[in-house]
Amino acid sequence: IENPMVVLNRKFDIRQWVVVTNWCPLTVWFFAECYISFGAIEYNIADISNRYMHLTNNSVTKHCEQSSEIEGNMWEQGDLVEHLKKIYGKDVFMDKIQPMMKKIVVWSLECVQDSIAKRIGSFELFGYDFMIDEDCNPWLIEINSSPAMDYSLSLIHISEPTRRYAISYSVFC
């Protein structure tokens, strides 16, 4: 995106886990906590050659020899929420960003809903990656099936069932 939001002068993306437990009707579980991955060095739009500046994937940033003021180049959702509250004076994450992320998740799943084989008693885990622009609009950058979770488990507690909730949404087939 042309105008990415930066935090502490670093580009970032948001990883949101989603579980689909039924495709007809579409039943989507949107994990209540996401995590934020940062580029390892300060963002400069004029320098497109430095992958540590533009890529936020932990498998890339962990190799950067420069130290980062952001521990592990990752934040919990609450860290981003608090940072944005300081900047905007309100909770733009919960009021604008996350509701739009939920809509984008549903729209993307609706696009493929008819082409997915219906399997009773199974589920699919997806890792949605979003970037946010300077106007607080989320942009979907990719969807990962069976995403790696090892880097982020120390940030959130995915095993707590009380920390997830369903999007109240179903599509009749």
Side-chain angles (χ1 to χ4, degrees), residues 85 117 119 144 148 157:
K85 280 181 183 176
R119 297 178 309 226
N144 298 282
H157 308 286

Side-chain angles (χ1 to χ4, degrees), residues 28-32 94 98 102 161-167:
V28 183
W29 296 83
F30 189 93
F31 194 68
M94 297 306 284
Q98 190 181 64
K102 288 179 182 181
T162 58
R163 299 188 74 173
R164 66 175 199 265
Y165 56 94
I167 297 174

Side-chain angles (χ1 to χ4, degrees), residues 110-167:
E110 286 177 329
C111 288
V112 299
Q113 180 181 18
D114 293 338
S115 63
I116 304 294
K118 306 331 183 238
R119 297 178 309 226
I120 304 297
S122 66
F123 66 90
E124 183 74 36
L125 173 68
F126 297 101
Y128 277 72
D129 292 340
F130 294 92
M131 288 185 69
I132 309 301
D133 68 21
E134 59 191 18
D135 296 320
C136 300
N137 297 307
W139 294 82
L140 177 63
I141 53 176
E142 72 176 333
I143 305 168
N144 298 282
S145 60
S146 304
M149 302 173 85
D150 50 341
Y151 291 120
S152 56
L153 286 180
S154 63
L155 290 175
I156 62 175
H157 308 286
I158 198 160
S159 62
E160 294 181 38
T162 58
R163 299 188 74 173
R164 66 175 199 265
Y165 56 94
I167 297 174

Side-chain angles (χ1 to χ4, degrees), residues 11-100:
K11 196 173 175 184
F12 69 95
D13 70 23
I14 297 173
R15 166 57 62 91
Q16 178 64 58
W17 285 303
V18 171
V19 174
V20 176
T21 56
N22 198 344
W23 290 94
C24 183
L26 183 59
T27 307
V28 183
W29 296 83
F30 189 93
F31 194 68
E33 296 285 325
C34 60
Y35 71 91
I36 293 74
S37 298
F38 291 91
I41 62 174
E42 290 189 4
Y43 177 70
N44 177 353
I45 196 162
D47 182 1
I48 61 170
S49 64
N50 192 322
R51 68 183 185 160
Y52 299 120
M53 178 185 306
H54 294 282
L55 300 178
T56 61
N57 188 304
N58 196 334
S59 63
V60 174
T61 61
K62 70 181 180 181
H63 297 291
C64 183
E65 294 177 8
Q66 239 178 303
S67 63
S68 172
E69 65 188 274
I70 302 170
E71 186 178 343
N73 298 310
M74 297 175 84
W75 268 2
E76 296 177 357
Q77 175 179 306
D79 296 325
L80 180 62
V81 168
E82 290 307 310
H83 179 80
L84 295 177
K85 280 181 183 176
K86 289 176 188 172
I87 294 171
Y88 295 99
K90 59 183 180 177
D91 192 349
V92 294
F93 185 83
M94 297 306 284
D95 294 342
K96 181 177 182 179
I97 295 169
Q98 190 181 64
M100 194 64 199

